[in-house]
Amino acid sequence: MKKFAFWAMMTLSVVSLTSCDKDDDHVRVSADLQAAFDSRYPNASRVDWERNGGFYEAEFMGNGLENKAWFTPDGAWVMTEYDLPFNQLPQAVLDAFAASAYATWRVDDVDMIEKSGMEMIYVIEVESGEREYELSYLEDGTLLRENTEWGDHLPVAPGQTADVKALVMEKYPQAVILDIEEDRRGIEVEIRDGGRQKEVLYQKDASGVLAWVYTMYEVSRYEMNNLPPGVQQALTDLSTSGMRVDDVDYFETADGNYYRIEVEDRDVDKYVYVAENGEMLQMKLKNYA
């Protein structure tokens, strides 16, 4: 009986500690913030709040699926990420994915991302063996991003969004902004400019001011013959060494421009960085580039 009483007390202690931990993890939000959420999602259930950077993030159930919504502390909605069944993707996205090199990969997850003032984005997470990628599409099937999978899509605060838009329009006055998001590198902006889709990256400098880092766009197949002679020779050298060239991207930076060549080397994806004169700068595994 003494042994039974001891283990019973231990069990109750564990349950009690677990309950306390759960209560400590629960974040209470202001009445205004809760009202803003309830107004936008009146049928939400199992709502759980937590702090995520400078935002309040609500995890909730809607239409039988798990979703996440981000709000500013004063109750301004910023972004919602919805779980989405694969077969509910827009037909243009399904067609684009079926025609991609990832069509035979296993689909791990699908999300629909809605942001204030931006187009809807559809994210398909795929994997093959140890390789994992996130494919982000616009509703018309345009591939917005093809990234190694590294975590959450984080929103940008409304005030900072305005600052980023101003910086983009200063540099690219005719551009159409497609998306803005924050990741581990900084703030990434997808734009259409001069008939091209471009990725523009900004980072905060030592004083906290956003500064332009680079602009990147894909070199199309028909443009390959017009590349600088040194870069064309680098492509030839890579092919003759047994590597298969998949894509070529062009980077503009304040310190000089260069090309990033994606190659497949014995079933390993790599990036080869080449200067405009054809000098090889470095080679990295794609997952860590």
Side-chain angles (χ1 to χ4, degrees):
M1 286 296 295
K2 289 182 179 180
K3 289 183 178 179
F4 175 80
F6 172 78
W7 287 112
M9 290 177 63
M10 289 297 293
T11 302
L12 287 172
S13 298
V14 170
V15 171
S16 177
L17 287 172
T18 303
S19 300
C20 288
D21 286 344
K22 186 174 181 180
D23 289 340
D24 290 341
D25 289 341
H26 181 70
V27 173
R28 295 185 182 276
V29 299
S30 68
D32 289 342
L33 178 51
Q34 186 64 54
F37 175 84
D38 293 339
S39 175
R40 190 172 187 89
Y41 300 106
N43 299 317
S45 62
R46 292 168 55 186
V47 182
D48 184 40
W49 290 95
E50 64 180 44
R51 288 299 297 264
N52 192 337
F55 301 96
Y56 282 91
E57 177 187 324
E59 294 187 4
F60 65 98
M61 296 295 296
N63 296 322
L65 298 170
E66 295 182 357
N67 310 295
K68 297 179 182 179
W70 282 261
F71 290 79
T72 62
D74 60 358
W77 171 77
V78 179
M79 184 181 93
T80 303
E81 183 178 306
Y82 306 89
D83 269 359
L84 191 71
F86 179 79
N87 60 8
Q88 290 186 17
L89 284 166
Q91 189 59 49
V93 176
L94 290 171
D95 292 342
F97 177 73
S100 74
Y102 301 96
T104 59
W105 289 36
R106 189 178 77 84
V107 175
D108 186 52
D109 189 40
V110 177
D111 295 309
M112 179 175 72
I113 298 178
E114 181 184 15
K115 295 181 182 179
S116 177
M118 297 289 159
E119 296 188 42
M120 199 75 78
I121 295 172
Y122 300 86
V123 181
I124 305 175
E125 296 181 8
V126 295
E127 61 179 37
S128 178
E130 295 183 355
R131 294 185 294 176
E132 297 182 346
Y133 293 95
E134 284 186 343
L135 310 175
S136 298
Y137 291 91
L138 296 178
E139 192 166 5
D140 64 2
T142 299
L143 181 61
L144 197 63
R145 298 184 184 89
E146 177 188 353
N147 291 338
T148 54
E149 188 178 3
W150 58 51
D152 292 338
H153 300 266
L154 298 178
V156 179
Q160 194 171 38
T161 297
D163 294 340
V164 172
K165 286 183 176 180
L167 288 171
V168 172
M169 300 314 294
E170 179 181 345
K171 190 172 184 64
Y172 303 103
Q174 304 301 319
V176 175
I177 296 176
L178 303 174
D179 186 44
I180 301 174
E181 80 169 27
E182 187 169 0
D183 62 25
R184 64 179 182 177
R185 300 170 303 162
I187 295 179
E188 177 187 317
V189 187
E190 295 286 345
I191 66 173
R192 282 200 186 105
D193 178 61
R196 289 186 185 275
Q197 183 177 316
K198 300 179 179 180
E199 174 188 309
V200 189
L201 183 69
Y202 294 91
Q203 292 176 344
K204 291 182 179 180
D205 60 20
S207 60
V209 177
L210 282 173
W212 174 68
V213 179
Y214 68 66
T215 298
M216 180 271 286
Y217 59 82
E218 184 177 354
V219 177
S220 65
R221 291 294 177 183
Y222 72 84
E223 292 177 309
M224 294 292 192
N225 293 331
N226 296 322
L227 293 176
V231 179
Q232 292 189 32
Q233 184 60 51
L235 289 170
T236 300
D237 293 343
L238 290 169
S239 297
T240 55
S241 69
M243 300 184 189
R244 182 169 68 85
V245 175
D246 289 333
D247 293 297
V248 178
D249 297 317
Y250 183 60
F251 283 75
E252 300 173 348
T253 78
D255 298 325
N257 306 331
Y258 60 89
Y259 292 85
R260 184 182 69 185
I261 304 171
E262 181 182 342
V263 299
E264 187 175 317
D265 182 16
R266 293 182 292 276
D267 294 326
V268 177
D269 294 328
K270 298 179 180 179
Y271 280 142
V272 180
Y273 295 83
V274 178
E276 289 185 297
N277 63 2
E279 177 188 357
M280 184 177 294
L281 303 175
Q282 61 179 324
M283 180 184 295
K284 292 183 179 181
L285 292 177
K286 183 177 177 181
N287 285 19
Y288 302 98

